[in-house]
Amino acid sequence: QKEVEQDPGPLSVPEGAIVSLNCTYSNSAFQYFMWYRQYSRKGPELLMYTYSSGNKEDGRFTAQVDKSSKYISLFIRDSQPSDSATYLCAMWAGTYKYIFGTGTRLKVLA
Amino acid sequence: EPEVTQTPSHQVTQMGQEVILRCVPISNHLYFYWYRQILGQKVEFLVSFYNNEISEKSEIFDDQFSVERPDGSNFTLKIRSTKLEDSAMYFCASSDSRLALYNEQFFGPGTRLTVL
């Protein structure tokens, strides 16, 4: 079983839709959970990070963690064409490295 | 806003040649990382570096790879004898603290390495 699993998509939605992106993980040692956005041929850019189970909101973005199910989500409200990118989940277990999911490619259609 | 920079943006090399990828981390950061992303695949950790030594490395980071902080600002990744399968995007990252707490890693824009 992979440490972090993420549906690669692509996911196409109309402008204004609510987008749900998800990752599952197997390593219960993961403590922090990050969502990065990556535009084509660019470096990952941190959107949000969460620690505990529950929700964390930042503008149109909400990150959700369910440690009991080993499941994390990122919701994007009122999606815009500029949100079109690849969204990477990443996890940190207290060592030096991040473990990334494969990324979900999102396309928001105008 | 401070950012991680990387040069070159694209490097083309012949198989068997040595390449050096360069990074300038954010100036007050103490921890440095290299990751790679083969086209269409996930971002993978290669190595972390702190206090002039490797703190952790992955199984990918074999003897053909080395890292160095030659001066107070640059952080380099050297690939001694490149192989076709080394073709990937290489990302440098830096963070200012690890301790026992979460350390946000800031990523550079990447260097695309193409091995012919």
Side-chain angles (χ1 to χ4, degrees):
Chain A
Q1 185 183 10
K2 291 181 184 175
E3 275 194 293
V4 179
E5 302 223 37
Q6 185 175 11
D7 186 335
L11 179 63
S12 292
V13 300
E15 183 175 356
I18 296 174
V19 176
S20 171
L21 304 165
N22 312 294
C23 288
T24 59
Y25 63 95
S26 58
N27 187 349
S28 56
F30 288 137
Q31 302 172 27
Y32 281 85
F33 306 89
M34 286 71 70
W35 285 98
Y36 279 82
R37 178 173 60 197
Q38 186 180 24
Y39 292 112
S40 182
R41 301 194 184 278
K42 301 290 185 187
E45 170 197 11
L46 182 68
L47 284 175
M48 298 180 71
Y49 72 89
T50 53
Y51 173 68
S52 56
S53 284
N55 293 351
K56 182 178 179 181
E57 193 172 314
D58 184 0
R60 297 186 295 112
F61 298 91
T62 299
Q64 193 174 77
V65 174
D66 181 347
K67 285 188 173 180
S68 62
S69 301
K70 296 190 177 68
Y71 188 89
I72 69 169
S73 299
L74 177 71
F75 298 97
I76 307 173
R77 288 184 299 283
D78 187 25
S79 55
Q80 304 295 310
S82 58
D83 294 327
S84 298
T86 297
Y87 290 80
L88 311 171
C89 64
M91 311 202 177
W92 183 71
T95 64
Y96 293 91
K97 63 185 179 186
Y98 286 2
I99 304 295
F100 281 87
T102 52
T104 299
R105 195 151 47 95
L106 171 68
K107 187 161 187 179
V108 181
L109 306 169
Chain B
E1 187 175 322
E3 58 183 15
V4 176
T5 59
Q6 291 185 242
T7 54
S9 57
H10 188 195
Q11 173 90 48
V12 181
T13 190
Q14 296 291 324
M15 190 169 56
Q17 294 296 303
E18 175 183 286
V19 294
I20 297 176
L21 310 182
R22 291 183 166 79
C23 167
V24 178
I26 294 173
S27 63
N28 63 339
H29 284 187
L30 302 175
Y31 298 85
F32 314 112
Y33 314 85
W34 285 101
Y35 290 79
R36 81 170 185 194
Q37 185 177 32
I38 295 171
L39 188 63
Q41 298 186 26
K42 66 177 182 178
V43 176
E44 299 174 290
F45 171 80
L46 291 177
V47 66
S48 61
F49 191 84
Y50 169 69
N51 199 27
N52 282 316
E53 60 182 32
I54 291 172
S55 44
E56 186 175 1
K57 62 181 181 179
S58 72
E59 60 277 7
I60 303 168
F61 194 87
D62 61 22
D63 291 343
Q64 68 163 339
F65 292 94
S66 63
V67 289
E68 193 178 31
R69 189 154 161 84
D71 53 43
S73 59
N74 290 283
F75 179 51
T76 62
L77 174 69
K78 182 192 288 187
I79 309 175
R80 256 179 281 282
S81 178
T82 50
K83 304 174 200 162
L84 295 176
E85 54 265 36
D86 293 327
S87 295
M89 195 77 159
Y90 288 81
F91 294 107
C92 174
S94 68
S95 65
D96 62 1
S97 174
R98 182 189 168 269
L99 302 177
L101 301 175
Y102 165 68
N103 60 330
E104 181 180 344
Q105 295 180 18
F106 294 81
F107 284 77
T111 291
R112 185 153 60 100
L113 176 65
T114 302
V115 182
L116 302 175

